[in-house]
Amino acid sequence: QSVLTQPPSVSGAPGQRVTISCTGSSSNIGAAYDVHWYQQVPGTAPKLLIYGNNNRPSGVPDRFSGSRSGASASLAVTGLQPEDEADYYCQSYDSSLSGRGVFGGGTKLTVL
Amino acid sequence: QVQLVQSGAEVKKPGASVKVSCKASGYTFTGYHIHWVRQAPGQGLEWMGWINPKSGGTKYVKPSQGRVTMTRDTSISTAYMELSRLRSDDTAVYYCARARGSGSPEEYYFDYWGQGTLLTVSS
């Protein structure tokens, strides 16, 4: 099981808003370490979506936004589009085991 | 433009070793850490460790320590990840990624990724 917990799946109709949660603990997100998000279309490499909790790289639509509160983080997608259907992963740092990068288990977003 | 181009798919027997390469272009190779991440079939992403191309310094995730070695050749802007004593559960796609951020390298995010290298371990 992953150190960061994500729901296995979420879904929404085109145009709707969905959120994906990423729940950690006091050794990672709860210790105020940054959270980053990636989008992965099956068969391709992950793509950076959000870095430093709520920053978008150039080229990422502003329909994607991130937030962090306490030991959890969230990715929100507004105005869902068919091309948003993909797997989404959160990433942070965990101070246990001498420090390591950790990922969530991933969430499959389905656009209905 | 920044590119990370990895070596091709590999098929290995249990107990063998594999060395995956990651050739960087479009930026100063020694200016950014390279991290390695793997993804088993149908599974999520697993962080493996990093190498600092400038110093050659490395850090590996504890379960892989002793089996993984990350190196680089700055003359050809290429990073390598070698995994030894292969097991069937090492079957995965292996990605290299350029890392950026602040704090310790394990906190960095990955702004560019290689295309992935499929490693199949089977007798």
Side-chain angles (χ1 to χ4, degrees):
Chain A
Q1 54 276 35
S2 304
V3 172
L4 305 178
T5 301
Q6 298 181 233
S9 63
V10 298
S11 62
Q16 285 190 332
R17 177 181 186 271
V18 297
T19 61
I20 298 173
S21 61
C22 175
T23 303
S25 67
S26 58
S27 62
N28 43 69
I29 301 175
Y33 291 111
D34 283 346
V35 178
H36 320 297
W37 292 90
Y38 302 88
Q39 177 192 61
Q40 185 181 34
V41 174
T44 69
K47 170 191 169 184
L48 179 65
L49 211 55
I50 298 287
Y51 67 94
N53 306 311
N54 54 16
N55 300 288
R56 280 187 312 276
S58 61
V60 173
D62 59 6
R63 302 185 295 103
F64 294 91
S65 63
S67 63
R68 183 190 70 186
S69 177
S72 295
S74 289
L75 174 72
V77 186
T78 58
L80 266 181
Q81 298 185 3
E83 59 264 32
D84 298 334
E85 186 159 299
D87 297 318
Y88 293 81
Y89 293 90
C90 59
Q91 177 219 342
S92 187
Y93 170 85
D94 189 276
S95 60
S96 64
L97 299 178
S98 302
R100 53 182 174 151
V102 289
F103 287 95
T107 298
K108 169 70 176 178
L109 169 58
T110 300
V111 181
L112 302 170
Chain B
Q1 72 283 18
V2 174
Q3 277 193 304
L4 297 173
V5 178
Q6 300 183 221
S7 48
E10 302 266 10
V11 179
K12 297 290 183 181
K13 294 191 182 302
S17 296
V18 69
K19 191 171 186 177
V20 179
S21 67
C22 171
K23 183 170 177 58
S25 62
Y27 73 98
T28 302
F29 179 62
T30 53
Y32 300 84
H33 286 65
I34 292 287
H35 289 230
W36 290 87
V37 175
R38 72 179 181 179
Q39 185 172 36
Q43 302 301 307
L45 303 171
E46 179 187 10
W47 179 78
M48 298 183 67
W50 54 259
I51 182 167
N52 179 339
K54 185 174 184 179
S55 67
T58 57
K59 180 169 182 174
Y60 310 132
V61 66
K62 277 198 176 301
S64 294
Q65 278 181 358
R67 293 202 303 131
V68 66
T69 305
M70 296 176 188
T71 57
R72 91 293 191 214
D73 184 338
T74 57
S75 68
I76 55 172
S77 300
T78 300
Y80 302 92
M81 188 283 299
E82 184 169 17
L83 192 59
S84 62
R85 303 193 300 279
L86 289 170
R87 310 185 299 238
S88 58
D89 61 359
D90 291 320
T91 294
V93 176
Y94 288 76
Y95 294 102
C96 63
R98 191 183 82 161
R100 300 187 64 171
S102 57
S104 62
E106 301 85 64
E107 299 177 63
Y108 293 176
Y109 59 91
F110 312 129
D111 60 350
Y112 289 93
W113 295 66
Q115 83 277 19
T117 296
L118 174 62
L119 168 64
T120 302
V121 182
S122 174
S123 54

